[in-house]
Every structure is written in structure tokens, then in C-alpha cells.
Amino acid sequence: MEQQEKLALIKRNLQEVLGEAKVVEILKTRDLKIYWGTATTGRPHIAYFVPMSKLADFLKAGCEVTVLFADLHAYLDNMKAPWELLELRVKYYQAVIKAMLKSIGVDLTKLKFVKGTDFQLTKEYTLDVYRLSTVVTEHDARKAGAEVVKQVDHPLLSGLLYPGLQALDEEYLKCDAQFGGVDQRKIFTYAEKYLPHLGYEKRAHLMNPMVPGLTGGKMSSSEEDSKIDLLDAPELVNKKLKKAFCEPGNITENGVLSFCKHVLFPLRSKDFEIKRAQQFGGDAAFSTYEQLEEAFAKEEVHPGDLKNAVELYMNELMEPIRQEFKSPEMVDLIARAYPSKKQGAVKAEEVVPSRLDIRIGKILSVSQHPDADSLYLETVDFGEAEPRTVVSGLAGLVPMEELEGKLGVFLCNLKPAKMRGVLSKAMLLCASVDNPRQVEPLVPPEGSAPGDRVFVEGYESGEPEGELKPKKKVWETLQPDLRVNSEHEAEWQNNALLTKLGKIVTKKVKNAPIK
């Protein structure tokens, strides 16, 4: 394969390449060495086929590819995976990723698999972490992880270490380039800036775009585990895929089309076929993704027909994985690596988000607090017999006209509190950032109504408490993990805030805590 062909294959479907000149120069004399890392936390789902298809491209281009199972990173990222489960989850990740790569025809002999703690706990690596800490500022460490590490007002030191470890991995894995999502761009530029301070060379960085999920923001996610797991049965894939957001003619926020672009077309040597009855246009075949996108944009392809085709191809990819995980050893591994959560009512002592009574409210009127220039008085309809009075500190930050008549997201079971003489019976939730100061109320999904319940994905069961007891500090414990991510989506510990109609979002503010 010629150098230009290799470069084109390496860059295919990427959003950005940092250090392309370095890549070109290396390809003149040898093949590129690339590493891709994944933190071993929750179970990989269908979207993991997006990076897998790029690993296939890299291997076709002759690259040496290392897959890093970042168990130490998984622990540091707000301790998502407890130590006792890390080893089991690494085994699961290795098994499932190998199965995924085999299902798309990748020769595993060309791949290298490495566990993070095999080298990240060595004396040399640890000393480099300390050396890095002498040149990196707190500001740069926090900025680097802004779109990957959970952002809170008082971050744990572990979150500040995370970007530095990812940078050092490039040196210890002896790669020429690191591959990842464009959400990791700040970590990549951090690595380019600081590795030379330690006497190490700057690497290139290859970035995938952030692909919309199949179960996107406009899909109802009220069912538990609504994401398509790699081991879901065909009937469950059908049920979940039917709910995926796929608006006629919409080619910009369409997870089903994106899956075609980034997974199905790069992996196929034959045409992409859509089967349909003659009265609906008959069967159609597309040799390129651009042809399919154009036809969908013109509404020549119906969303239902596209979903049926994607379901067929998706099951083709998933079936070998399902078969591989039917063995007693793999069933036991899954059970131990991801022990099931008991369903039913949540124990009172567990500080979980289902204890919060978060609801949609309609702000009927807004007025200035008579005794406080920084406070508004809001009359809010929650679908109850009588509206509630809510006092918020938004005066001077959000104009009244942007609140009056609008829907908002409110915490409704805090103990009512007097604010400059007025009893406030709920709290309007906002995303807030400093420098420059920006405050924006959370935005409910279109079609929401007063009284609609807001819940955290994965914590739908259990009833909210009637009134939170101040001494138990439930809100104070949960609030630091509430934030708006880089996609303007509200979340708690990376789990989306939802109503029955979809995700809670913001229009402007991102990467910000929710208060």
C-alpha cells in the first residue's frame, strides 16, 4: 500500500489530526505505532464499534496498534470501579473487545493488549508522575480533564492526576500517535505541551468525532438499561432500536445514520441494502454513505426502513459476540465483574439520586424581591392544586422575560426556607460557570408539562422522599456530581437526567456544575 493510501485510511472519518506532518514523515520510512485506551468501567455497548472500526482502518494501513485497558484510570475517574472489581472488568473488556474485533474480521495477531497497572505502578512511571507534578499547574491539569473527568467545585486530586497519566502512557507505550474522541482534545494538547518538559517527544493525536448515540436525547429512556448492550438478544435490539431518534430528513443529529457512517460503511465491501415493499419504492442499494445520506435527507428513505436495515447488520455484528459469551466461564465472569443491582425500593440510608424529588415546573410570573436586589420571586405551577413560591438568586444574571412563562427544572423536596422574609418552597436548578459568570436554567425536553418527574438514568426505581432532612445532607452529597457535560446534557456521575420525553439540557452553558 502506498504512503498516501495509508494516510487516507488512517485519517478516514476522523474529525481532527494534531501533528499530521509527524505522521507523514514517519510513514516515509516505517509504519505508524498507535495506541487507544479505554477505562474499564461500565460494560461496553454498541457504540464501541465506532472506535473498533477505526482500529480496523489502522491495522489495514499497516499500523502497529496497542489497546490499553486503563484500570488505574477507571479508579481515578471518581472511583467508578472499586479495586476489587478492576481485575474482573479488565478480563471482561479484553474478552468483549477481542470478540468485537473478530466479528469485524480483524486479525488479532496484529494487536497488542496492555493493562495499565502492569506499567503504571512501576518505580520509573511513579517518579515521572512526581516529575510531571513539578511543572504542571493546577489550572492546566483541571482544564485538560474538563471534558473527560467529572467537573465539580472541589475536585479530588485523582481527577487532576488523570490527564498526566494519560500523557505519560504515550511514552511508556512507545507510540507515535494516540487515538481517541475529540472530547479528549484538551488532554492531547496537555500531553503535547508537557511531555517535552520531561525530555520526551511530542506525539501526534488522532481524533474521532463525537458520534450521536443510537438512543439519543429525544428517545424515551424511561426503561432501565435502554442502551444497546453488545449481548442483547435480537428481540431486545429490535425493541430498543425502534425507540432510537431518527427524524425524517434529519442528517445532523441522527445516531442511526451516524452508526452507518462510522461503522457499517467502513466495514462493508458490498452495497448497503434496504429491503422494502414495492409500493414503498422497492429495494434500494447504496455503495457509499454519501448516497445514503443524500437519499435520507431528501426523505427518499424512511426512518423505519433505515432502522430495519441497520438492525439486520447490527445483529450480524453482534451474533458472534453473543455466541462467545454463552460459555459458563464467560457467564460467570459477567456476573462477578458486574454484580446485578437489587431492584425495588431504595434503602433510606443510601444517598442516591432517586431520593430527590426533581420536577418540571412552569414559571407563571416573576417579580423582584422587595427586600433583595439579587433575588427574584417566582410563582411556579407544578401540576398541584396551588402554585408554589420559589425564591431564586437570578436577578442581574437572567432577565425576567427569559423566565416568565417558561418551563424549568426544580428540586421540590428541600425543606422550605425563608429568604429575606419570603418562604421558598422549591429550588430552580441552573448550570453555572465563573470567569466569565454565566448562569442558565436547565431546559426540559420539548412537550414537557408541569409536574413531569425528572430522574437519573439507572435510578428510576424508588420513591423520592417527602422532605429531605437537612441533617442527612442528601442534596449536599449528591449535588457535587451534578453537572452539564460538553454536549450540553445534564447528568449525575455520567448518568443522564431524563424525563419520559428525553434528556434535560442547556442551550449555551456546558462543562459546568448544576446548582
Side-chain angles (χ1 to χ4, degrees), residues 331-434:
V331 171
D332 178 65
L333 175 61
I334 295 170
R336 291 190 296 134
Y338 297 95
S340 61
K341 297 177 182 177
K342 291 183 179 180
Q343 301 298 314
V346 177
K347 294 180 181 179
E349 64 272 12
E350 293 179 324
V351 182
V352 290
S354 54
R355 295 175 68 175
L356 303 178
D357 183 6
I358 305 177
R359 289 186 243 162
I360 305 302
K362 183 174 183 179
I363 303 172
L364 303 176
S365 64
V366 184
S367 61
Q368 185 71 48
H369 192 296
D371 296 320
D373 292 340
S374 63
L375 300 179
Y376 283 150
L377 303 183
E378 299 147 9
T379 304
V380 185
D381 175 16
F382 291 105
E384 300 169 324
E386 297 289 336
R388 298 191 191 190
T389 297
V390 177
V391 182
S392 63
L394 299 180
L397 297 171
V398 180
M400 287 186 188
E401 57 269 21
E402 291 186 13
L403 297 173
E404 197 163 71
K406 301 295 195 303
L407 294 173
V409 179
F410 294 80
L411 178 60
C412 293
N413 61 341
L414 284 175
K415 184 178 180 179
K418 278 193 175 182
M419 299 180 70
R420 299 298 291 270
V422 178
L423 193 65
S424 181
K425 297 183 178 180
M427 181 170 69
L428 178 61
L429 298 181
C430 301
S432 175
V433 292
D434 299 316

Side-chain angles (χ1 to χ4, degrees), residues 110-377:
K110 298 179 181 180
L111 272 171
K112 182 180 180 182
F113 296 93
V114 177
K115 185 173 70 170
T117 48
D118 285 345
F119 66 91
Q120 291 163 346
L121 299 179
T122 63
K123 176 183 176 181
E124 294 77 14
Y125 189 95
T126 302
L127 287 175
D128 271 344
V129 173
Y130 288 135
R131 285 208 297 148
L132 196 59
S133 72
T134 68
V135 294
V136 176
T137 65
E138 182 272 342
H139 171 270
D140 281 4
R142 187 167 183 174
K143 179 182 177 183
E147 297 193 39
V148 178
V149 180
K150 197 176 310 302
Q151 298 299 294
V152 295
D153 285 342
H154 304 288
L156 296 173
L157 185 58
S158 59
L160 301 179
L161 289 172
Y162 191 110
L165 302 189
Q166 189 167 335
L168 286 173
D169 291 344
E170 295 181 354
E171 172 63 24
Y172 280 78
L173 293 173
K174 301 301 179 185
C175 71
D176 303 311
Q178 184 181 172
F179 165 60
V182 74
D183 60 327
Q184 299 187 66
R185 192 182 195 280
K186 290 186 174 77
I187 291 181
F188 293 161
T189 56
Y190 169 104
E192 291 187 6
K193 177 179 178 179
Y194 283 109
L195 281 185
H197 282 67
L198 303 186
Y200 300 141
E201 64 177 295
K202 182 168 68 172
R203 269 68 178 189
H205 295 96
L206 315 173
M207 284 170 273
N208 252 353
M210 299 309 294
V211 179
L214 287 169
T215 55
K218 295 190 180 182
M219 168 190 166
S220 173
S221 299
S222 57
E223 291 185 4
E224 189 174 0
D225 300 325
S226 63
K227 290 181 180 178
I228 297 178
D229 188 272
L230 290 165
L231 303 181
D232 277 345
E235 57 271 19
L236 196 52
V237 173
N238 174 271
K239 182 179 179 181
K240 292 178 178 180
L241 194 54
K242 280 183 177 179
K243 296 180 179 180
F245 176 65
C246 187
E247 185 178 54
N250 184 343
I251 61 173
T252 59
E253 297 176 356
N254 191 321
V256 180
L257 268 181
S258 293
F259 192 78
C260 295
K261 178 179 180 179
H262 292 278
V263 178
L264 298 181
F265 274 88
L267 297 176
R268 293 187 64 76
S269 56
K270 299 179 181 178
D271 286 351
F272 182 93
E273 297 182 345
I274 291 180
K275 304 290 186 181
R276 56 190 178 186
Q278 197 61 43
Q279 63 264 38
F280 298 120
D283 295 346
F286 303 91
S287 58
T288 68
Y289 170 75
E290 289 72 24
Q291 293 173 350
L292 174 63
E293 184 183 85
E294 182 181 359
F296 191 86
K298 293 178 179 179
E299 300 190 26
E300 295 170 355
V301 173
H302 187 272
D305 295 325
L306 177 63
K307 288 183 180 183
N308 288 338
V310 169
E311 180 185 345
L312 175 66
Y313 293 130
M314 193 179 286
N315 278 315
E316 285 181 358
L317 291 174
M318 294 170 64
E319 187 56 28
I321 304 171
R322 296 184 189 114
Q323 294 302 320
E324 195 149 330
F325 278 80
K326 283 184 176 179
S327 70
E329 295 81 9
M330 287 302 173
V331 171
D332 178 65
L333 175 61
I334 295 170
R336 291 190 296 134
Y338 297 95
S340 61
K341 297 177 182 177
K342 291 183 179 180
Q343 301 298 314
V346 177
K347 294 180 181 179
E349 64 272 12
E350 293 179 324
V351 182
V352 290
S354 54
R355 295 175 68 175
L356 303 178
D357 183 6
I358 305 177
R359 289 186 243 162
I360 305 302
K362 183 174 183 179
I363 303 172
L364 303 176
S365 64
V366 184
S367 61
Q368 185 71 48
H369 192 296
D371 296 320
D373 292 340
S374 63
L375 300 179
Y376 283 150
L377 303 183

Side-chain angles (χ1 to χ4, degrees), residues 8-24:
L9 199 52
I10 289 168
K11 291 173 59 180
R12 178 165 67 167
N13 284 337
L14 294 179
Q15 180 168 320
E16 187 177 3
V17 176
L18 297 176
E20 183 173 342
K22 180 181 181 69
V23 173
V24 171

